[in-house]
Amino acid sequence: MASTATKLNVTSRTAEGSRAARRMRRKGRVLGVLYGGGQDPVGFDADARELRHALAGSGAVLDLSVDGGRAAPVVLKEAQRHPVRGETIHVDLLRVRLDEEITAVVPLELLGADDAPGVKEGGVLEQITRELNVEALPTAIPESIVYEVGEMQIGDTILLSAITAPEGVTLTDDAEETVIATLSPPKLQAEVEEEIESETEIVGEGAAEGEGAAEDGESEGSSEEE
């Protein structure tokens, strides 16, 4: 959890179009917008390395200073990444009050999968839910929530109700409807592969029949012209 906030200094900027944005990114700057707090949105740019370190080490809260002004607590609302390189190219930050709860999305990590008896027997463990919606004070939002699956057997299904939230954190998804993970028998995986192969064969046969019919039509047409 974020017991202390990481400081981040940014520079305000006005929208100048996509060409200017690309130029800023080539200089190692990440563009962003600051929202919330009953104030107008503020566009800014931040040093890419400083931003990366701040987001990695802060947990939930950043102390953001714009143009050297007084720092205020903010949280990451959304980050856009480059589709190929994976680097952050734009962030949306949200002003918060440390004494008011906020909603956030937290990664869910499953531990001990390789030790699960069902996995050792050849079962297929699938993580259905990878992120959880939570509600908590900004300083209480965890960087991730961890669940141990080392006891799962073949045929087991883990629901959100099995997860205990950290102190001060409320899980807001449906506890009895949200599936976290399943452990399926290996034969089910084989059946899926067989179905895919069968469908591929049927499609191939249909295409071959269509080509044959086209060839017959061309032959008949040629005979008539002759």
Side-chain angles (χ1 to χ4, degrees):
M1 296 183 186
S3 56
T4 58
T6 300
K7 293 183 179 180
L8 177 66
N9 297 309
V10 301
T11 303
S12 63
R13 64 184 300 274
T14 56
E16 299 175 350
S18 58
R19 180 177 298 178
R22 288 193 295 269
R23 185 168 59 251
M24 293 294 292
R25 291 177 183 129
R26 285 195 295 269
K27 293 180 179 180
R29 309 292 291 181
V30 176
L31 307 185
V33 180
L34 176 63
Y35 295 96
Q39 304 178 44
D40 292 335
V42 175
F44 65 85
D45 62 81
D47 180 81
R49 181 178 297 179
E50 292 181 6
L51 177 65
R52 182 171 63 253
H53 289 169
L55 294 177
S58 67
V61 183
L62 296 175
D63 265 345
L64 185 73
S65 173
V66 180
D67 295 333
R70 181 179 179 181
V74 303
V75 296
L76 177 66
K77 180 181 180 182
E78 184 178 2
Q80 298 177 14
R81 300 185 182 279
H82 191 280
V84 177
R85 297 189 295 270
E87 61 193 28
T88 301
I89 59 175
H90 189 278
V91 293
D92 289 339
L93 302 179
L94 181 67
R95 301 181 184 92
V96 295
R97 289 185 51 173
L98 299 184
D99 59 349
E100 291 184 356
E101 291 189 340
I102 62 172
T103 58
V105 178
V106 176
L108 173 64
E109 300 180 16
L110 302 184
L111 298 182
D114 293 339
D115 297 325
V119 173
K120 291 182 177 180
E121 295 171 7
V124 179
L125 177 63
E126 181 179 4
Q127 183 173 353
I128 307 300
T129 301
R130 298 184 177 276
E131 294 180 328
L132 299 176
N133 294 296
V134 305
E135 187 173 81
L137 293 176
T139 52
I141 295 176
E143 295 184 21
S144 65
I145 292 178
V146 177
Y147 183 75
E148 175 64 50
V149 295
E151 301 297 323
M152 285 188 73
Q153 305 280 348
I154 288 179
D156 283 353
T157 295
I158 303 299
L159 300 178
L160 179 60
S161 56
I163 295 180
T164 300
E167 184 178 356
V169 177
T170 301
L171 304 177
T172 59
D173 296 301
D174 192 314
E176 299 300 331
E177 295 292 334
T178 304
V179 177
I180 299 302
T182 60
L183 213 169
S184 305
K187 64 178 182 180
L188 295 182
Q189 186 71 10
E191 289 174 358
V192 171
E193 293 175 355
E194 289 177 2
E195 290 178 1
I196 294 175
E197 291 177 0
S198 298
E199 292 176 358
T200 303
E201 290 175 359
I202 292 173
V203 171
E205 291 173 359
E209 291 175 357
E211 291 175 359
E215 291 176 357
D216 292 342
E218 291 176 359
S219 297
E220 292 174 1
S222 298
S223 298
E224 290 175 357
E225 289 175 1
E226 293 174 355

